[in-house]
């Protein structure tokens, strides 16, 4: 069963069962054993959920009722899994996450670590959609560890694919490509052509993003040949969509139209309008590139009509942008302006949706961390209460025994018993105090002191909004080169040395370290106590960080060893801060300020501290600082933004 489940992790639980009249016949025949009927409805619900989520959910609910009645834990797991997938496809992410939690409970009840790994991997896709990429990666690493221990290569293949999807989402295309290639290699080794083809499509997409379109076409054509042999029509149509898009980007318009025609035929035959909407959009883009505005209007209008009817927000946004450009090309500026208004309205809706997802994510993760921390603290308290009770009872037993054996010296033994009791009590109390100090130290290592104090006092720590926080991001240039030239142990040791140095610097300036993500380091000034430090301290810490890494680089290069260079970026603005996590809770921050700070880092240069116009306005009059205006610099997904390099005066 684990072999089947592993495939579900690949690209949103991909895969299907064959559907036939015989399955319906088995399900409806109440005289057959429950096990046979459960197998039939499990196959039916799983296939249906991808084509018509509502129908799949309805079947899975019937499956769940029978599974609960029969006590079949495997069937219950499968029902919960199908319900989770169906709700995810309907964009009901809280419901999807709740059903995956139930999958996890059943897997633990079965002591089935393979299913646990599969569920961790599947849960990561929900957190990816919620925008919590670190949480998604944490779940995937848990899945990876279990499957590695079990030697489950199919599970590993699916998880590597999901890890690639996370890196794709955050724009780290080289790491995404590396994980997709691991997935493809494992599926090839296992002779799983469907999984290999899915991974090849992802690999082709990444090569396209990286600019190697010839390589992208090779991977897509190989995937298409596999899908054709397997008869995977829906996957084949999606691959042709990608193929048409890439041909269009390469100015091969005739080839693009051939691929899109094939995709349109497949989606029309399958009645898959959601995918057909994207085909019309891609056709419109190719027509715009050809200079055929009138035909582009027709293509994107068809796409917009489907997107409106199915309420596909992302596709509506794409098609409205296509129409805006197409009407401008034909000279119909009135309709062009109308399309522009629609585009702006849809963009606002997308922003609101992201805000809603962020609120949902905070609520979900906050609930989980409250439960985890409360359980943790209660376990510590209960353990030492038991120890104290044991020591007290032990002392009392010794006293009673001694009184019976040596009645002639009762007074002396009573005094000794009292002393023993006091001694044991003091030891127990000292042990409790020592453990309390260790717990406090651990909390203060992972949480700001103010937040840890609130957590201990209330059993929870509320999320808070901060109006003006300066967020600092660092990232190493040359990390891939270092990883190739150093052993894993040497690489980790060097990163550890660098991060320890950065830790000392942020502590010196009382800037709050938030977290590390791979080779990136994130900190913030102005929280949780805004009076502790501000933008000045953040900038001074950033300058000292650059100097520290530069000094380390000089030291290593002089010894003939590879060394990092580092970029630093800062931006100031409002954030939300609070505790997140289930088993590894952590203090984290969210908001557009964090995204912009990350863009300041990626838009900077090695050895430089790059700050936004907002941060510049706060520190421009600080003595001892000198600024180099960079003007309007293009930042990914943010457009042109005002930036400055900051130096010591």
């Amino acid at each position: 069963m684990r072999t089947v489940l592993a495939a579900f992790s690949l690209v949103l639980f991909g895969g299907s069962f064959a559907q036939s009249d015989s399955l319906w016949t088995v399900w409806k025949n109440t005289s057959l054993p429950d096990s046979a009927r459960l197998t039939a409805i499990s196959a039916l619900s799983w296939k249906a959920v991808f084509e018509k989520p509502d129908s799949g959910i309805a079947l899975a609910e019937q499956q769940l009722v029978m599974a609960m009645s029969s006590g079949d834990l495997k069937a219950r797991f499968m029902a919960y899994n199908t319900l989770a997938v169906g709700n995810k496809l309907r964009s009901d992410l809280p419901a999807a996450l709740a059903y995956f939690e139930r999958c996890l409970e059943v897997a633990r009840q079965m002591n089935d670590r393979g299913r646990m790994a599969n569920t961790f991997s599947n849960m990561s896709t929900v957190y990816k959609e919620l925008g919590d990429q670190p949480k998604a990666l944490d779940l995937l690493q848990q899945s990876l560890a279990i499957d590695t221990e079990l030697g489950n290569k199919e599970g590993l293949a699916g998880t590597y694919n999901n890890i690639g999807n996370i890196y794709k989402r955050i724009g780290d295309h080289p790491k995404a490509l590396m994980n997709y290639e691991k997935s493809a290699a494992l599926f090839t080794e296992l002779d799983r052509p469907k999984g290999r083809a899915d991974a090849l499509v992802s690999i082709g997409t990444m090569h396209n993003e990286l600019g190697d379109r010839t390589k992208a076409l090779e991977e897509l054509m190989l995937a298409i040949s596999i899908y054709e042999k397997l008869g995977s029509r829906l996957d084949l149509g999606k691959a042709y969509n990608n193929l048409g898009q890439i041909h269009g980007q390469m100015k091969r318009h005739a080839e693009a139209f051939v691929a899109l025609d094939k995709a349109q035929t497949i989606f029309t035959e399958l009645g898959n309008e959601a995918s057909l909407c994207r085909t019309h959009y891609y056709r419109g883009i190719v027509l715009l590139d050809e200079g055929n505005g009138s035909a582009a209007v027709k293509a994107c209008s068809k796409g917009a009509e489907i997107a409106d009817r199915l309420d596909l927000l992302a596709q509506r946004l794409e098609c409205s942008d296509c129409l805006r450009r197409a009407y401008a090309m034909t000279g119909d500026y009135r309709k062009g302006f109308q399309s522009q208004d629609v585009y702006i309205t849809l963009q606002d809706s997308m922003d609101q949706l992201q805000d809603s997802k962020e609120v949902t994510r905070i609520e979900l993760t906050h609930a989980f961390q409250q439960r985890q921390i409360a359980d943790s603290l209660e376990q510590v308290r209960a353990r030492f209460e038991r120890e104290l009770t044991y020591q007290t009872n032990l002392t009392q037993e010794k006293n009673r025994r001694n009184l019976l054996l040596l009645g002639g010296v009762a007074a002396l033994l009573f005094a000794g018993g009292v002393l023993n009791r006091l001694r044991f009590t003091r030891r127990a109390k000292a042990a409790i105090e020592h453990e309390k100090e260790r717990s406090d130290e651990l909390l203060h290592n992972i949480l700001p002191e103010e937040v840890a104090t609130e957590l201990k006092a209330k059993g929870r720590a509320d999320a808070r909004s901060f109006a003006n926080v300066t967020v600092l991001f660092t990232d190493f240039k040359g990390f891939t080169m270092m990883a190739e030239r150093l052993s894993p142990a040497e690489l980790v040791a060097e990163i550890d040395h660098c991060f320890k140095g950065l830790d000392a610097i942020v502590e010196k300036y009382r800037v709050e370290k938030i977290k590390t993500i791979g080779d990136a380091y994130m900190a913030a000034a102005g929280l949780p106590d805004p009076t502790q430090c501000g933008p000045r301290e953040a900038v001074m810490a950033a300058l000292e960080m650059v100097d520290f890494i530069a000094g380390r680089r000089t030291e290593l290069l002089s010894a003939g060893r590879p060394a990092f260079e580092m970029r630093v970026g800062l931006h100031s603005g409002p954030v939300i801060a609070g505790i997140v996590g289930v088993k590894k809770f952590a203090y984290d921050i969210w908001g557009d300020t964090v995204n912009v700070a990350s863009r300041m880092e990626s838009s900077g240069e090695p050895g430089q501290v790059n700050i936004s116009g907002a941060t510049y306005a706060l520190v421009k009059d600080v003595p001892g600082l000198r600024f180099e205006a960079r003007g309007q610099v293009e930042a990914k997904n943010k457009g042109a933004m005002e930036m400055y390099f900051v130096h010591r005066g």
Side-chain angles (χ1 to χ4, degrees), residues 468-473 535 538-539 542 568-574 592-604 608-620 627-633 635 638-646:
N468 196 6
V469 171
T470 300
V471 180
L472 178 154
F473 268 97
V539 170
V568 185
L570 296 92
H571 175 62
S572 303
D592 193 55
T593 298
V594 179
N595 299 329
V596 175
S598 176
R599 295 295 178 262
M600 291 302 108
E601 174 273 310
S602 60
S603 301
Q608 298 281 5
V609 176
N610 187 42
I611 66 174
S612 67
T615 302
Y616 169 76
L618 297 173
V619 299
K620 63 181 180 179
F627 303 94
E628 177 186 341
R630 303 182 64 198
Q632 296 286 323
V633 180
K638 294 294 178 183
M641 301 188 70
E642 187 179 10
M643 301 184 195
Y644 298 82
F645 285 143
V646 57

Side-chain angles (χ1 to χ4, degrees), residues 455-468:
L455 180 64
K456 289 187 293 180
K458 298 164 52 180
R460 59 185 175 82
D462 297 327
R464 292 178 56 194
S465 297
F466 294 87
N468 196 6

Side-chain angles (χ1 to χ4, degrees), residues 39 85 96 121-122 150 170 186 196 223 227 254 335 360 383 418 422 427 481 495 503 516 520 523-524 529 551:
T39 299
V85 173
S121 187
N122 289 344
L150 297 176
I170 64 177
L186 283 170
R196 182 191 176 205
Y227 288 140
K335 289 186 178 179
T360 301
R383 185 170 69 250
V418 170
L422 289 173
R427 287 177 180 174
M481 180 199 72
I495 294 174
D503 284 345
T516 59
D529 183 357

Side-chain angles (χ1 to χ4, degrees), residues 47 101 223 326:
K47 178 172 177 58
E101 282 286 318

